[in-house]
Amino acid sequence: MYEYSLLHRLTSDDERAITFFLQSCKGFHYFQSPAFYNVCLPSEKLTPFYVIARHKEELVGVLLACRQIQIKLPGIRFLTSRNLIIGGPVVKEGNPQLIREMLDTYSTRTGKSLYTQIRNLQDTTAFQSAFIRAGFTHDDHLDILIDLRQSEEELWKGVHSKRRNEIRRAEKEGCRVDRHSSPESLAQCYNILTEVYRRAKLPLPDVSHFEAMLHQSTAKTGLRIFTVVWEEQIIGCMLCLAYGDTLYDYFAGAYSRYYAKYPNDLLPWEVFKWAKNNGFSWFDFGGAGKPTISYGVREYKKKFGGELVNYGRYERIHFPMLYRLATKLFALWRLMKR
């Protein structure tokens, strides 16, 4: 009934067809778009590829996966590999059979990494059984959505009183939020993110990933750079992704030595206002962790209001023994980074 193909390179016709299909489907689909595919191509650590479904030559399903390798050294290269699927697959009318067949095609026809993780950007409860039958397990994972269709006054009321006071303090300290689009500003933001992720003992994509994202951006989609400036220094940043009616929080942070200026309090609020005034209906605040595990980032984000949703994630571990070994090695690596 359906015909499937695997694409490692896209023609201009492929790009147009996929873009048109995604625009006809409800939801935030930047991470399934040719724009994101082209962002991943230049990176030495990322290998993007598509599984495409057609019915009588009509495009009916898209799955963009990205093979990610954190360490390229022979011997441990495979132990740091995973395939990441964000917000996919996207199929016509949410057809569960098509989802199942696309995932089966993905599992049998694509090169394996240690495991595959699917990060949901919308509710998949109606067709969760299709993922389970395709060998994936479901795990609860939270997200926070800000409804920008409210008035600014309603948005402000949704912000916790303590957070509102800290936003005012940031303004009194002389902080402001600017928007940028230059490679030089991106480089300064990347320096901030490097400190933040080193402190958190978490891996960070290479700067080339963000540079490609900036280069591929258009007036309607792609990277939006926001910075907190104090005494003409960039002390905090938020890198967001624009697509359709949604602005998505991608990476953010501030220099720890400037926390007393409250950059992480001022920044989201100013981004909410900018997004609302520029036609966006939703701000996706990104991951908020597992509901059963205490998570400081979630508590921080909740104080800006919004709705806590549980879209969850799916995983399929392709090599269980090696996965357990890699998990232990990652825990050891984080311990050594202290």
Side-chain angles (χ1 to χ4, degrees), residues 182-207:
S182 71
E184 294 76 19
S185 297
L186 177 60
Q188 292 183 65
C189 292
Y190 191 78
N191 289 338
I192 294 173
L193 295 177
T194 300
E195 182 197 283
V196 170
Y197 276 75
R198 185 181 294 125
R199 196 166 61 241
K201 304 172 188 67
L202 291 172
L204 177 70
D206 346 290
V207 66

Side-chain angles (χ1 to χ4, degrees), residues 121-188:
L121 298 179
Q122 60 188 13
D123 187 5
T124 63
T125 305
F127 31 84
Q128 188 176 113
S129 59
F131 289 87
I132 304 302
R133 290 192 185 113
F136 287 82
T137 58
H138 180 268
D139 193 16
D140 289 333
H141 202 89
L142 301 173
D143 193 7
I144 295 177
L145 295 178
I146 308 292
D147 186 351
L148 300 174
R149 296 170 299 180
Q150 304 173 77
S151 67
E152 186 175 316
E153 291 73 21
E154 289 172 318
L155 281 172
W156 184 245
K157 286 179 183 177
V159 179
H160 190 276
S161 58
K162 181 181 178 183
R163 193 67 69 207
R164 291 202 299 263
N165 288 334
E166 288 165 346
I167 291 169
R168 294 186 188 104
R169 286 177 188 172
E171 292 171 336
K172 287 179 181 177
E173 289 285 345
C175 295
R176 70 173 191 271
V177 172
D178 291 344
R179 239 209 85 198
H180 300 272
S181 58
S182 71
E184 294 76 19
S185 297
L186 177 60
Q188 292 183 65

Side-chain angles (χ1 to χ4, degrees), residues 24 70 75 79 94 103 114 122 149 158 172 182 209 239 266 284 297 313 321:
S24 71
Q70 193 58 39
L79 288 177
L103 291 171
L114 204 57
Q122 60 188 13
R149 296 170 299 180
K172 287 179 181 177
S182 71
H209 175 71
L239 306 185
L266 179 64
D284 189 325
V297 173
R313 291 179 174 179
M321 290 182 65

Side-chain angles (χ1 to χ4, degrees), residues 3-263:
E3 295 180 358
Y4 300 96
S5 57
L6 189 63
L7 301 180
H8 288 284
R9 287 289 181 269
L10 298 183
T11 66
S12 56
D13 286 342
D14 292 329
E15 290 195 15
R16 280 193 293 269
I18 294 171
T19 299
F20 180 79
F21 171 73
L22 292 176
Q23 288 173 345
S24 71
C25 298
K26 185 179 178 181
F28 177 80
H29 301 310
Y30 176 81
F31 294 104
Q32 291 293 301
S33 70
F36 188 64
Y37 168 90
N38 288 325
V39 160
C40 295
L41 270 182
S43 173
E44 295 180 358
K45 295 180 179 180
L46 302 173
T47 306
F49 58 90
Y50 273 103
V51 176
I52 299 295
R54 289 185 172 85
H55 176 60
K56 296 180 180 178
E57 299 187 358
E58 178 192 0
L59 187 61
V60 293
V62 164
L63 187 160
L64 173 58
C66 194
R67 188 165 189 259
Q68 184 179 56
I69 296 170
Q70 193 58 39
I71 299 175
K72 296 180 290 181
L73 293 174
I76 61 172
R77 176 187 175 94
F78 186 74
L79 288 177
T80 67
S81 69
R82 67 175 176 179
N83 282 5
L84 195 58
I85 301 169
I86 307 177
V90 181
V91 302
K92 187 177 181 179
E93 299 173 351
N95 185 327
Q97 178 189 346
L98 181 53
I99 291 173
R100 164 76 186 278
E101 290 183 14
M102 289 197 76
L103 291 171
D104 284 342
T105 302
Y106 161 81
S107 295
T108 56
R109 293 181 57 183
T110 61
K112 292 287 193 302
S113 61
L114 204 57
Y115 69 102
T116 296
Q117 183 181 86
I118 299 176
R119 297 182 179 178
N120 298 321
L121 298 179
Q122 60 188 13
D123 187 5
T124 63
T125 305
F127 31 84
Q128 188 176 113
S129 59
F131 289 87
I132 304 302
R133 290 192 185 113
F136 287 82
T137 58
H138 180 268
D139 193 16
D140 289 333
H141 202 89
L142 301 173
D143 193 7
I144 295 177
L145 295 178
I146 308 292
D147 186 351
L148 300 174
R149 296 170 299 180
Q150 304 173 77
S151 67
E152 186 175 316
E153 291 73 21
E154 289 172 318
L155 281 172
W156 184 245
K157 286 179 183 177
V159 179
H160 190 276
S161 58
K162 181 181 178 183
R163 193 67 69 207
R164 291 202 299 263
N165 288 334
E166 288 165 346
I167 291 169
R168 294 186 188 104
R169 286 177 188 172
E171 292 171 336
K172 287 179 181 177
E173 289 285 345
C175 295
R176 70 173 191 271
V177 172
D178 291 344
R179 239 209 85 198
H180 300 272
S181 58
S182 71
E184 294 76 19
S185 297
L186 177 60
Q188 292 183 65
C189 292
Y190 191 78
N191 289 338
I192 294 173
L193 295 177
T194 300
E195 182 197 283
V196 170
Y197 276 75
R198 185 181 294 125
R199 196 166 61 241
K201 304 172 188 67
L202 291 172
L204 177 70
D206 346 290
V207 66
S208 63
H209 175 71
F210 299 100
E211 289 171 341
M213 194 169 276
L214 182 62
H215 179 70
Q216 295 287 337
S217 296
T218 67
K220 292 185 177 180
T221 65
L223 191 66
R224 303 293 183 264
I225 302 171
F226 301 89
T227 65
V228 179
V229 178
W230 177 74
E231 293 189 348
E232 303 312 311
Q233 301 175 74
I234 293 177
I235 64 172
C237 67
M238 180 179 282
L239 306 185
C240 296
L241 297 173
Y243 188 90
D245 65 352
T246 302
L247 188 68
Y248 182 93
D249 178 12
Y250 195 42
F251 283 85
Y255 284 125
S256 57
R257 60 186 178 273
Y258 293 113
Y259 279 176
K261 306 299 177 186
Y262 303 99

